[in-house]
Amino acid sequence: MLADVRKNRDFYLYATAIMLPVIAQQLISALFNFADNFMVGLLGAASLAGVSVANKPYTVFLCLLFGFTGAGGILIAQYYGARERRTMQQLFGLQVMGGLAIGVIFFLALHFFPRQIMGAFVTDPQTMRAGLDYLSVIKWSYIPTGVSLACMHALRALGRNRMPMIAGFVTMLVNIALNSLLIFGLLGFPRLEERGAALATLIARLVEMGFYLY
């Protein structure tokens, strides 16, 4: 293996240059979620539990979205290699529309059945209240997230991994800053607690989507 690395040094350097931004972006995503949980946890156990339960649909959402947009990214990479630009554009359009559709479906479910969804996981009144407050705002973030992930996988398919890494870093900074202001009411901002955490995430996701679309 070491002999192969020495023989194909340029290839391994190129592959590493592609992989490192992806690794960095995944780390940033993990820090994004950690910052949310840490700051909400400062409000109390009920708040943290409510937000954690309210985010369970988001896990299912990400699984569906990664499967759809990831498959589209593989096809885009194939047609990129074949230099079929028109087909690439059509696949990208399908990716964005699919991501948008999945986001809208989850938004509608959370909009019309929030109590039923929360009730499937929790019965404690305080936890339920915190989760419903969070869901009332965070449901809107599913739509921009669907668009952003479609763009992210399309860029990765072209080997352009630095832009998603930068977008993730900017999104994380915006989220952390707004969490501090909106959860705890710092610098004259209203203290919104769980709603503040959701609003910070929503704004950060909108910034991320704007970055990708630009």
Side-chain angles (χ1 to χ4, degrees):
M1 181 178 176
L2 291 176
D4 185 66
V5 170
R6 286 192 294 268
K7 181 179 179 181
N8 300 288
R9 181 171 175 271
D10 290 341
F11 168 77
Y12 283 102
L13 288 174
Y14 176 71
T16 302
I18 292 177
M19 287 187 293
L20 287 178
V22 176
I23 295 170
Q25 186 189 4
Q26 294 302 116
L27 177 61
I28 290 168
S29 296
L31 291 174
F32 185 106
N33 295 327
F34 172 79
D36 270 0
N37 290 333
F38 176 76
M39 292 186 178
V40 171
L42 297 176
L43 296 174
S47 296
L48 179 58
V51 170
S52 296
V53 171
N55 274 326
K56 287 185 180 295
Y58 186 73
T59 304
V60 179
F61 167 73
L62 280 184
C63 288
L64 291 174
L65 199 58
F66 265 94
F68 181 83
T69 58
I74 292 172
L75 292 174
I76 287 176
Q78 291 176 341
Y79 285 104
Y80 177 65
R83 301 183 182 278
E84 295 188 24
R85 182 180 178 85
R86 178 61 179 166
T87 306
M88 286 170 52
Q89 291 174 331
Q90 291 173 336
L91 286 168
F92 175 63
L94 179 62
Q95 264 191 318
V96 172
M97 293 301 296
L100 187 62
I102 295 172
V104 168
I105 290 170
F106 273 79
F107 164 77
L108 292 174
L110 294 171
H111 181 73
F112 289 107
F113 308 105
R115 188 169 295 276
Q116 290 86 341
I117 292 172
M118 285 293 298
F121 302 102
V122 67
T123 57
D124 178 69
Q126 282 188 305
T127 304
M128 177 73 76
R129 178 206 58 79
L132 290 175
D133 283 348
Y134 185 80
L135 274 180
S136 67
V137 178
I138 202 65
K139 62 188 178 185
W140 296 95
S141 72
Y142 284 71
I143 297 173
T145 300
V147 175
S148 294
L149 282 183
C151 296
M152 181 192 75
H153 278 113
L155 287 169
R156 283 184 177 180
L158 305 182
R160 299 178 182 177
N161 293 322
R162 290 185 181 180
M163 189 178 295
M165 181 186 68
I166 294 170
F169 183 70
V170 171
T171 302
M172 181 186 69
L173 292 181
V174 170
N175 183 57
I176 291 174
L178 291 177
N179 269 341
S180 302
L181 298 175
L182 297 174
I183 293 176
F184 308 108
L186 301 180
L187 301 179
F189 282 80
R191 181 183 173 92
L192 300 177
E193 299 188 346
E194 297 88 5
R195 287 176 183 263
L199 183 58
T201 299
L202 172 59
I203 294 172
R205 293 303 184 191
L206 288 171
V207 170
E208 181 183 43
M209 182 182 70
F211 191 96
Y212 277 121
L213 293 179
Y214 174 77

